[in-house]
Amino acid sequence: MGLPEPNVGVTMLVVDLARLLRRNFEAELSKVDTGLTAGEARTLFYVWRLPGQRQAVLADAMYVEPMTLVGYLDTLEKAGLIKRCTDPSDRRAKLVELTPKAQPLLENIGTALHAVRSRALENIPPDKRQVLEMLLQTMKDGLLEEVSKGKQK
């Protein structure tokens, strides 16, 4: 009995798409003036997207190890782009917030993201984009539900 024919299927298409999107984002990021690595830019974006969160929450949302995130946050803090404040409900934890200095960089990161998104969606009719987004969100929600069940056991 041999192996079945390889089937790309939705899983590998999504994995390949994620890699291509990340590669394109890095290329676009190099065209705008941020002075940040792709990891630092991504971290800054997540701090903007999830303001005032603990470092552990950010690491989880970004799917990176906490120590990886700490390196990015250290660099961003030294550049004056973020600040870490003590969590009033747990003095051991730090909440991460943007500083006003981050605004111009976030605009440049947004420009890079918009360019990648536009290119990725250019051959998809506008009326199909909402369906695509909904289906991808449904897949994500289902996988997150499984992860959540696994943590509860």
Side-chain angles (χ1 to χ4, degrees), residues 83-97:
K83 62 182 178 179
R84 292 183 239 193
C85 309
T86 303
D87 184 339
S89 65
D90 182 352
R91 296 184 56 79
R92 298 167 297 172
K94 299 290 183 190
L95 303 178
V96 184
E97 298 176 1

Side-chain angles (χ1 to χ4, degrees), residues 5-6 25 30 39 52 54 67 71 76 85 106 112 118 127-128 139 143 145 153:
E5 287 294 315
F25 174 63
S30 71
R54 290 182 179 193
M67 288 308 299
L76 295 172
C85 309
L106 285 167
S118 295
D127 62 317
K128 302 284 188 205
M139 287 176 66
L143 291 172
E145 188 176 315
K153 289 182 181 180

Side-chain angles (χ1 to χ4, degrees), residues 9 31 122 135:
K31 296 177 187 176
E122 71 185 352
L135 292 171

Side-chain angles (χ1 to χ4, degrees), residues 55 59 64-74:
Q55 293 176 174
V64 298
E65 292 297 320
M67 288 308 299
T68 301
L69 177 67
V70 166
Y72 294 145
L73 292 174
D74 287 347

Side-chain angles (χ1 to χ4, degrees), residues 10 13 25 28 45 60-61 88 103-104 107 118 121 129 133 135 143 151:
V10 71
L13 285 172
F25 174 63
E28 285 298 324
F45 175 80
D60 194 46
Q103 187 60 40
E107 289 173 14
S118 295
L121 294 173
R129 293 176 187 179
E133 204 170 301
L135 292 171
L143 291 172
K151 286 182 180 179

Side-chain angles (χ1 to χ4, degrees), residues 25-78:
F25 174 63
E26 290 172 5
E28 285 298 324
L29 196 58
S30 71
K31 296 177 187 176
V32 296
D33 183 27
T34 65
L36 302 175
T37 67
E40 293 161 356
R42 193 166 163 256
T43 301
L44 196 63
F45 175 80
Y46 269 86
V47 174
W48 171 74
R49 188 173 163 212
L50 303 168
Q53 292 295 320
R54 290 182 179 193
Q55 293 176 174
V57 171
L58 289 171
D60 194 46
M62 293 176 64
Y63 301 102
V64 298
E65 292 297 320
M67 288 308 299
T68 301
L69 177 67
V70 166
Y72 294 145
L73 292 174
D74 287 347
T75 302
L76 295 172
E77 189 172 42
K78 284 178 189 164

